[in-house]
Amino acid sequence: MDLSIGQPHFPVPDAIKAAAKAAIDNDKSGYTVTQGIPQLCEKIGTWVTEQYRQPDRDVIITSGTSGGLLLALLFCVDPGDEVIIFDPYFVAYPPLIALCGGVPVIIDTQPDFRIEIDRVKAAITTRTKVVLFNSPANPSGAVASREVVRDLAALCDRHGVLLISDEIYRVFTFDAPPISPAEYNPNTLVVDGFGKAYGFTGWRLGFTHGPRALIEQLAKLQQFTFVCAPSIAQHAGLAAWDCDVSPMVNDYRRKRDRLVNALRGKYEFTAPGGAFYVYAKPPKGSGSDFVARAIERNLFVIPGNIFSQHDTHFRISFAVKDETLERGIEILLGMVE
Ligand code: PMP
């Protein structure tokens, strides 16, 4: 039973597949302009304007969310600069920061994954360049409250620190609409993507929006690195943007509820408000020992020590078919009997 994979289980909606096929048939195979095909920039740009009403915000289409993240860190982080991240964090954050010569400064949010603003304030030094924030979060599924988002945005603004908000799980918020720090701090750089929302992680399509001057710099870096986001994916992205993902989100809310109800009282965890993960603590032993025992029972989950400085948890993905989830639950319950 594979409950390890961080990507949707549903097939790409037909309208998006058709748009990708049409792009191939119509020979949309060349380089695109660096910033992205104008139609897609315009579509996303219109939404960004409606959402944020910030005339200075611009958009760049990237090679996945990772592409936007890499461009942003490459541009902003110089050797020795500090980047604040929150433990548990997305696995790629520390290596990406290190790649740019930066130093990850890790703030622990366990046990409930709530960000304490006073601790962020205390961690800011003269070398702090970036706070890298992710809500809904991988691996915890935690969704930051409006107060935390607002206060973090204001704190970064006061200290002149760039806030990068990784909103790749934006559509997967189950209990309340998503909240972006860009609402409160127009200098926020938002990295976002199509892969999780529409089930095409392998097509490598993302977008980043932020202050125009910063987006211009990212475009320069994209020109000499990725060149452009994949052309076929960009054309498919036009259809994706118009696609209603609420049936998928509702399905994942139901799966979240099923998993949370089944594990309640058996494992320690904070119920996720978004993404498609439960980050749980085994009743005894380390996260990695637990995962080794789970694998013996043919259950694949991910040990928490790849997302954390602690080896205390494991990550379950519920982005799977109901049968797979039920079998996984059975094995998990069998492991605490
Ligand atoms: N940020 C987070 C928090 C993620 O979980 C992931 C993918 N697992 C990414 C970024 C990278 O996404 P993409 O595939 O769009 O590059």
Side-chain angles (χ1 to χ4, degrees):
M1 271 334 97
D2 191 351
L3 302 189
S4 70
I5 297 189
Q7 65 182 351
H9 77 294
F10 53 80
V12 176
D14 285 342
I16 305 176
K17 285 184 181 168
K21 289 175 200 167
I24 293 174
D25 289 341
N26 292 320
D27 298 315
K28 307 286 186 192
S29 299
Y31 296 127
T32 74
V33 285
T34 303
Q35 200 157 342
I37 56 171
Q39 307 94 298
L40 190 58
C41 290
E42 203 177 299
K43 238 182 206 302
I44 299 178
T46 303
W47 174 79
V48 167
T49 303
E50 277 166 11
Q51 289 283 312
Y52 301 104
R53 310 245 158 248
Q54 295 162 4
D56 193 42
R57 264 189 122 59
D58 202 1
V59 180
I60 179 169
I61 313 300
T62 57
S63 289
T65 312
S66 307
L69 204 52
L70 178 62
L71 295 177
L73 292 172
L74 273 176
F75 179 69
C76 299
V77 178
D78 290 325
D81 285 346
E82 293 171 358
V83 178
I84 294 178
I85 58 173
F86 301 95
D87 183 330
Y89 39 77
F90 172 46
V91 59
Y93 290 168
L96 279 178
I97 295 164
L99 181 69
C100 301
V103 179
V105 172
I106 299 173
I107 297 182
D108 205 343
T109 65
Q110 296 195 26
D112 58 6
F113 317 123
R114 249 210 314 265
I115 292 172
E116 286 177 37
I117 298 299
D118 284 345
R119 294 185 61 194
V120 186
K121 193 169 161 189
I124 293 178
T125 71
T126 51
R127 304 278 355 206
T128 309
K129 271 287 178 63
V130 172
V131 171
L132 179 48
F133 168 70
N134 172 220
S135 173
N138 179 7
S140 66
V143 174
S145 69
R146 182 165 288 281
E147 291 67 36
V148 165
V149 172
R150 183 195 61 205
D151 294 351
L152 188 66
L155 181 75
C156 290
D157 191 32
R158 266 202 313 282
H159 287 81
V161 169
L162 177 70
L163 181 53
I164 300 180
S165 180
D166 180 342
E167 301 182 7
I168 185 169
Y169 296 102
R170 174 177 46 84
V171 304
F172 298 101
T173 40
F174 303 128
D175 306 317
I179 308 159
S180 172
E183 287 178 37
Y184 297 102
N185 176 347
N187 290 322
T188 305
L189 189 73
V190 175
V191 294
D192 203 326
F194 284 74
K196 309 270 176 185
Y198 305 102
F200 56 78
T201 50
W203 293 4
R204 311 307 306 134
L205 190 66
F207 62 95
T208 293
H209 57 93
R212 193 173 307 278
L214 187 48
I215 296 295
E216 266 172 26
Q217 299 306 319
L218 301 195
K220 279 188 204 163
L221 275 176
Q222 175 142 286
Q223 173 78 70
F224 298 122
T225 52
F226 298 95
V227 182
C228 61
S231 61
I232 304 302
Q234 291 192 57
H235 286 278
L238 287 170
W241 195 258
D242 295 332
C243 189
D244 176 17
V245 293
S246 59
M248 288 81 131
V249 176
N250 291 339
D251 187 39
Y252 283 177
R253 182 186 296 104
R254 186 182 54 76
K255 291 184 204 290
R256 186 268 315 251
D257 292 343
R258 168 70 187 124
L259 181 61
V260 160
N261 289 330
L263 300 188
R264 190 167 279 137
K266 311 280 188 199
Y267 288 89
E268 205 182 298
F269 61 89
T270 300
F276 29 67
Y277 311 112
V278 169
Y279 197 58
K281 204 172 183 173
K284 58 177 179 354
S286 69
S288 47
D289 282 347
F290 179 85
V291 171
R293 284 192 289 122
I295 290 170
E296 282 168 17
R297 297 180 183 225
N298 207 23
L299 172 67
F300 298 100
V301 285
I302 305 228
N305 62 351
I306 71 158
F307 308 106
S308 171
Q309 296 179 298
H310 309 284
D311 187 5
T312 47
H313 286 66
F314 64 98
R315 189 192 78 176
I316 310 164
S317 166
F318 53 84
V320 292
K321 287 187 185 147
D322 283 349
E323 305 91 272
T324 311
L325 186 61
E326 290 306 321
R327 280 287 299 130
I329 288 172
E330 220 173 276
I331 297 171
L332 285 167
L333 295 182
M335 289 181 71
V336 291
E337 269 166 1

